[in-house]
Amino acid sequence: MIERGREKERDYFLRILDIIEETVFVIDRDLRILDLSKGCLNRFIPHIEREKVIGKRCYEGLWGMGEVCEGCPVSSVFEKGEAARTERFFSLPDGTNRYFDIEWIPVFDEHGEVIRVIGDIRDITKRKEAEEKLAEIVDGSSIPTFVINNEHKITHWNTAVESLTGLKREEVVGTDRQWIAFYAEKRPVMADLIADKAPASKFKDWYGDKYKMSSLIEGAYEAIDFFPMMGGEGKWLLFTAAPLKDSEGTVIGAMETLQDITERKEAEEELKNAEEQCRTIFEHVLTPLCLIEEDDTISTVNKEFETLSGYSREEAVGKKWTEFVAPEDLEKVMNCYHNEKKEELPCCGFKFVGREGDITDVKVSIEHIPRRKIRVASLMDLTKLKREEELSAICEELKELDDMKKNFLNAAYHELRSPLTPIVGYASLLKCDELGDKQRDYVSNIEKYAEQLKGQINRMLELARIDGGEIAMTLEDVSISGIVNDVVKSFKPLWNDKEQTITTHAPEGIVVRGDKQKIIAIFTNLILNAIKYTNEGGRIDIMVEDRGEDIRVCVADTGIGIPEKHLPKIFERFFMVNTSLTRKSESLGLGLSIVKEYVKLHGGRIWATSEPGKGSKFFFTLLKKEI
Amino acid sequence: MRKKRVLIVEDAPYMREMMVEMLNHAKDRYEVVGFATNGKEGVEKYRELKPDLVTMDLVMEEMDGIQAIKKIKQEDPNALILVITAMDTPENRNMAMEAGADGYLWKPFTINNLLDVLERMFGKDKSGW
């Protein structure tokens, strides 16, 4: 009964084999072929007759080999009862080479024993050939390229992508870690999205606006992005991912190519900078410039051109350049305009017509840029240039004059002072002899005027040294009230003689960081002037005011005063209010100019107010801290 | 007391003449023993005459006064040197002092100015500054 049942079951099974189109065969524990399906015979192994292979071992009957295939999993399927798979290359007896994917499925009896194994063969030769071809293409390509399958596993990773990413194929092939080459965190690369047939929204999620559909390859996308992780300073990559499809059009993976465009990007950046620089120069150069299109219209002008022409940029743009040329010069400029000799820039002078019809003499040079079909006209305002040249010549002359003056002063000082020595010396010798009263008076006069001359010469020298920047400041803390009192006291014989009243208002404790000798000279000069120019019985007030940062001093007298028109000039060198021959005071007019320089050396300023007949007020300030 | 022997180093003839006149007014104390018209000659005359005092102009041809002072002081640190100059600036004074001058008199000067400074230089302090 059991046997018959089995037979029945077997018959049933074999009958199925006879009719099914699948390419399957059945083997027993000894690898002997028990049966083959119709499909197996018809389609797959047409040269084999069923009777000739039944009972043979599969390696002989099917593949025509002398011994069991290397790594045959069949015995393990019998033992473990688990399905297995073989994917390998076979050279068939008919001389064809095939790649087969064979699935080994165990068939159990009622006791759970494996009694036979079904081999389900699929011919994957075409797929394998395609894969090999792809590998050949990818590996042979100098473009960094990698391929993933639809399970996101990397199948190809070529040498070029190795050197771009620094990742060896052994490290990544077979894994789905393509992201580590580009990103710090796990995320899909473009090939992953392609392999998933992801909708556009996904691309947007991951690439924002940087991606676009490829115009060359259907279903492919490309993008440009910066990868800060890559190659030390980061890289700009242009990457394109395209789907890989099998013969039925099913997506089986994706291929992504990469292009390192860092240098190009940097060059673009540099170009952008250069353009910006050009624009800045164009705008800010002190030369009127305009760009002229092929049709003779002006396409842009710079600020200087606006100034020269009187037109705003908006007004000037679109005008023909000929509108700016006086009719009589048009032919000349036209010749220059069309002269395209390479050796030298064509240039010529002409009368430039501005907005109001105003004429300016200019010189123009015209550079033709054939590649961009434009001309750059740069203009030179000759009137302005001439004026500037004249001014600079005058400046030069003045400087020479000033140098001459300085040299003269220096020389004069030495030449004037040398004869003074014997005058003073011999006058003093003369006094050693017996002299009458009259003679003694004469000698005193000689000495007095020699002394005055010495003072003048010394002041001249001082100014020459100030001009030469040879004045050194010896800084110390100077008590102002002390100086005021000392100076006033030292002139007591003078103001006592003239019965003048001097009041001082100088709070004690005001200290200025400055050059004591020069500050003394400032006070001496102003107070002495006040005494000199104030009549008998007049009064002089000296006020010192502490203003925090600086002090302000006022020396006021009730003297003859200074006419208003002279006030701005009194601190100038050699200036004297009274130039009449009958003047009472003797001076070369150098005193106040030295005072002014000394005040300036102390970071202060000096000025005066006056009412002729009523008196003058001299003010000056001194910084309390050194400058 | 022995007369002090003076060497005058000065390029202007009228200055030499005038100084002799001035020192003549004190001939009981001073005697002009020689002249030199530049620094180089001054150094040579100093070696030859070994004077008690040298008056030294600063601006001269050949060798200026400052160099001459240095040279003389180097050979004889006890030499007494009086600088007589028209260039009365702080810089000049410092230079003269650093070179080793013992006194300083600026032009123009009177007979009293000259005799005063000499007296001080031959006095207790040996300094005409």
Side-chain angles (χ1 to χ4, degrees):
Chain A
M1 274 299 280
I2 291 165
E3 276 299 306
R4 193 179 297 160
R6 264 199 197 153
E7 280 300 307
K8 248 181 163 171
E9 188 193 325
R10 185 174 172 273
D11 287 346
Y12 178 65
F13 181 70
L14 293 177
R15 257 203 324 275
I16 293 172
L17 283 181
D18 282 343
I19 55 165
I20 61 172
E21 289 296 324
E22 263 74 32
T23 47
V24 298
F25 61 97
V26 188
I27 53 173
D28 66 7
R29 197 175 284 273
D30 294 330
L31 308 179
R32 283 180 199 284
I33 298 169
L34 298 177
D35 216 330
L36 306 109
S37 70
K38 179 178 158 228
C40 200
L41 285 169
N42 291 354
R43 268 209 345 241
F44 169 55
I45 327 179
H47 58 283
I48 296 176
E49 290 172 35
R50 186 168 182 266
E51 287 65 33
K52 283 191 181 159
V53 293
I54 296 283
K56 282 201 174 165
R57 289 194 160 82
C58 57
Y59 51 86
E60 299 165 329
L62 295 176
W63 327 124
M65 297 200 300
E67 54 187 59
V68 65
C69 309
E70 201 187 320
C72 175
V74 175
S75 52
S76 129
V77 174
F78 272 101
E79 266 153 43
K80 290 185 185 162
E82 287 169 10
R85 196 161 195 160
T86 305
E87 199 180 292
R88 59 165 294 174
F89 180 77
F90 294 96
S91 282
L92 297 185
D94 65 353
T96 56
N97 292 323
R98 300 287 193 79
Y99 225 105
F100 291 139
D101 174 11
I102 307 167
E103 198 172 0
W104 307 97
I105 305 146
V107 178
F108 302 93
D109 67 4
E110 62 267 32
H111 308 297
E113 292 282 315
V114 179
I115 48 167
R116 47 185 174 251
V117 165
I118 299 171
D120 182 356
I121 311 176
R122 256 178 301 156
D123 186 347
I124 56 166
T125 310
K126 268 192 185 151
R127 201 187 89 199
K128 275 288 166 186
E129 275 170 6
E131 273 180 22
E132 267 166 28
K133 211 168 190 175
L134 181 67
E136 211 174 281
I137 293 168
V138 170
D139 292 340
S141 172
S142 59
I143 300 167
T145 307
F146 64 91
V147 176
I148 60 168
N149 63 19
N150 52 13
E151 286 159 356
H152 301 285
K153 298 253 166 71
I154 298 172
T155 57
H156 300 83
W157 189 265
N158 73 1
T159 318
V161 82
E162 278 185 343
S163 50
L164 175 70
T165 62
L167 286 174
K168 292 277 161 208
R169 71 186 68 188
E170 302 85 72
E171 297 173 72
V172 287
V173 166
T175 75
D176 58 359
R177 300 193 303 144
Q178 44 274 28
W179 58 272
I180 59 164
F182 312 102
Y183 303 105
E185 288 169 11
K186 181 168 181 163
R187 55 159 282 182
V189 303
M190 189 167 269
D192 291 317
L193 298 180
I194 295 286
D196 283 345
K197 290 181 278 178
S201 65
K202 279 275 178 202
F203 285 87
K204 202 168 172 59
D205 286 349
W206 290 108
Y207 294 103
D209 295 327
K210 293 172 200 153
Y211 81 97
K212 63 175 186 190
M213 246 194 267
S214 169
S215 53
L216 296 173
I217 309 160
E218 201 199 328
Y221 282 84
E222 60 184 38
I224 290 176
D225 204 357
F226 184 69
F227 294 87
M229 294 264 303
M230 294 182 76
E233 293 178 354
K235 278 182 174 157
W236 280 97
L237 297 183
L238 162 63
F239 45 102
T240 310
L244 292 177
K245 294 176 182 170
D246 64 10
S247 50
E248 275 105 52
T250 314
V251 173
I252 54 162
M255 177 162 90
E256 184 165 332
T257 59
L258 308 158
Q259 200 183 333
D260 184 352
I261 55 162
T262 312
E263 275 177 27
R264 195 179 91 193
K265 269 276 173 189
E266 279 169 1
E268 275 174 14
E269 199 65 25
E270 254 169 58
L271 195 70
K272 223 170 94 187
N273 286 344
E275 262 176 30
E276 211 172 286
Q277 242 172 39
C278 270
R279 208 187 312 279
T280 312
I281 292 169
F282 181 83
E283 200 45 49
H284 295 287
V285 71
L286 292 174
T287 306
L289 293 173
C290 65
L291 298 190
I292 303 168
E293 298 295 319
E294 235 184 339
D295 63 357
D296 289 351
T297 58
I298 287 173
S299 59
T300 185
V301 303
N302 69 354
K303 275 205 192 79
E304 283 293 314
F305 190 94
E306 290 182 320
T307 312
L308 175 69
S309 66
Y311 287 107
S312 72
R313 180 186 318 237
E314 290 71 29
E315 289 168 335
V317 167
K319 283 197 186 310
K320 296 249 189 232
W321 64 264
T322 47
E323 292 179 44
F324 294 93
V325 181
E328 66 267 32
D329 287 338
L330 200 53
E331 199 185 323
K332 182 166 68 169
V333 183
M334 199 67 96
N335 286 339
C336 175
Y337 185 79
H338 291 293
N339 179 358
E340 276 152 30
K341 267 189 267 162
K342 291 275 151 54
E343 315 85 74
E344 57 191 72
L345 234 51
C347 69
C348 69
F350 72 93
K351 293 199 183 330
F352 183 93
V353 183
R355 186 192 179 115
E356 311 299 337
D358 47 314
I359 300 284
T360 314
D361 274 321
V362 299
K363 192 174 154 186
V364 66
S365 70
I366 299 163
E367 165 102 66
H368 186 204
I369 304 172
R371 207 158 46 86
R372 295 197 48 204
K373 294 183 177 166
I374 56 166
R375 285 176 169 81
V376 184
S378 66
L379 301 154
M380 196 194 288
D381 183 340
L382 293 175
T383 325
K384 203 166 137 194
L385 193 75
K386 211 170 149 197
R387 215 160 44 228
E388 274 165 13
E389 271 171 7
E390 277 166 9
L391 272 178
S392 119
I394 290 171
C395 259
E396 202 60 36
E397 255 172 54
L398 281 176
K399 233 185 103 204
E400 267 171 39
L401 267 175
D402 195 50
D403 283 347
M404 266 169 65
K405 188 198 76 192
K406 273 183 214 160
N407 290 340
F408 169 75
L409 280 176
N410 254 324
Y413 165 73
H414 292 294
E415 296 309 311
L416 291 174
R417 192 159 168 160
S418 296
L420 206 50
T421 312
I423 294 172
V424 171
Y426 280 112
S428 72
L429 274 170
L430 203 54
K431 280 208 302 200
C432 293
D433 290 340
E434 295 278 320
L435 293 177
D437 285 347
K438 226 177 183 177
Q439 285 79 6
R440 196 154 288 277
D441 269 357
Y442 295 162
V443 176
S444 289
N445 277 337
I446 294 173
E447 282 184 325
K448 183 180 152 198
Y449 290 108
E451 192 61 32
Q452 264 183 27
L453 187 54
K454 191 176 100 183
Q456 295 296 357
I457 294 168
N458 282 347
R459 282 194 285 277
M460 275 168 63
L461 174 77
E462 187 68 359
L463 276 172
R465 291 174 69 217
I466 289 171
D467 289 347
E470 293 168 36
I471 287 291
M473 295 277 281
T474 313
L475 293 178
E476 59 185 303
D477 289 332
V478 181
S479 157
I480 298 301
S481 63
I483 288 182
V484 172
N485 294 331
D486 285 353
V487 172
V488 169
K489 214 163 121 192
S490 71
F491 293 132
K492 195 167 179 185
L494 287 178
W495 51 269
N496 252 356
D497 268 5
K498 294 179 87 171
E499 291 172 352
Q500 293 164 337
T501 320
I502 296 193
T503 64
T504 61
H505 180 78
E508 275 185 40
I510 297 182
V511 170
V512 165
R513 183 84 185 155
D515 187 315
K516 190 173 178 181
Q517 292 312 316
K518 294 186 175 66
I519 295 175
I520 289 174
I522 296 168
F523 278 100
T524 302
N525 211 298
L526 293 179
I527 293 171
L528 203 53
N529 275 348
I531 295 170
K532 247 198 296 195
Y533 293 107
T534 299
N535 291 329
E536 297 194 353
R539 71 177 264 143
I540 294 158
D541 293 300
I542 301 158
M543 273 163 292
V544 181
E545 189 188 341
D546 187 343
R547 306 200 298 178
E549 293 260 301
D550 62 4
I551 63 164
R552 191 178 77 163
V553 180
C554 173
V555 178
D557 62 47
T558 57
I560 55 173
I562 305 160
E564 202 181 334
K565 60 170 180 175
H566 290 146
L567 273 179
K569 295 184 190 163
I570 54 171
F571 299 103
E572 284 174 16
R573 292 170 193 193
F574 305 109
F575 179 79
M576 272 181 307
V577 174
N578 189 349
T579 49
S580 70
L581 292 170
T582 57
R583 65 203 161 95
K584 280 186 187 165
S585 59
E586 316 83 2
S587 167
L588 259 182
L590 285 174
L592 281 177
S593 57
I594 290 179
V595 168
K596 183 184 171 186
E597 297 297 338
Y598 283 176
V599 167
K600 269 161 68 183
L601 284 170
H602 287 86
R605 56 187 209 94
I606 184 163
W607 68 100
T609 62
S610 184
E611 268 185 78
K614 287 196 171 170
S616 308
K617 283 181 180 169
F618 280 80
F619 298 91
F620 67 92
T621 64
L622 300 176
L623 275 186
K624 284 162 79 178
K625 283 184 186 156
E626 65 189 83
I627 51 170
Chain B
M1 203 176 72
R2 192 176 66 82
K3 283 189 196 173
K4 302 296 181 191
R5 304 168 68 248
V6 177
L7 167 66
I8 295 173
V9 185
E10 165 68 64
D11 60 351
Y14 64 86
M15 281 299 299
R16 294 198 293 268
E17 216 172 282
M18 186 182 84
M19 283 171 70
V20 172
E21 290 284 343
M22 284 179 171
L23 290 176
N24 265 344
H25 277 262
K27 52 183 163 205
D28 54 324
R29 279 169 285 165
Y30 308 109
E31 178 191 2
V32 177
V33 293
F35 300 103
T37 57
N38 63 51
K40 198 165 159 251
E41 206 186 324
V43 175
E44 282 159 14
K45 282 278 164 81
Y46 186 85
R47 281 184 202 132
E48 184 193 320
L49 301 169
K50 290 277 173 235
D52 297 304
L53 184 135
V54 186
T55 72
M56 182 70 73
D57 191 9
L58 286 189
V59 186
M60 291 178 295
E61 308 262 316
E62 283 279 341
M63 185 192 279
D64 69 33
I66 296 293
Q67 276 177 290
I69 294 169
K70 281 183 187 162
K71 190 88 186 145
I72 292 171
K73 279 283 178 180
Q74 190 190 334
E75 289 179 17
D76 180 5
N78 292 323
L80 265 187
I81 304 176
L82 171 64
V83 166
I84 299 182
T85 180
M87 311 277 277
D88 180 33
T89 62
E91 299 80 39
N92 263 329
R93 272 193 229 206
N94 281 341
M95 266 200 322
M97 198 180 265
E98 271 163 28
D102 302 279
Y104 193 92
L105 182 65
W106 60 93
K107 301 170 184 173
F109 56 90
T110 63
I111 175 170
N112 287 340
N113 297 144
L114 177 66
L115 296 181
D116 263 7
V117 76
L118 289 181
E119 205 164 305
R120 278 188 285 130
M121 287 177 76
F122 286 113
K124 258 201 303 202
D125 298 338
K126 297 225 170 243
S127 169
W129 282 101

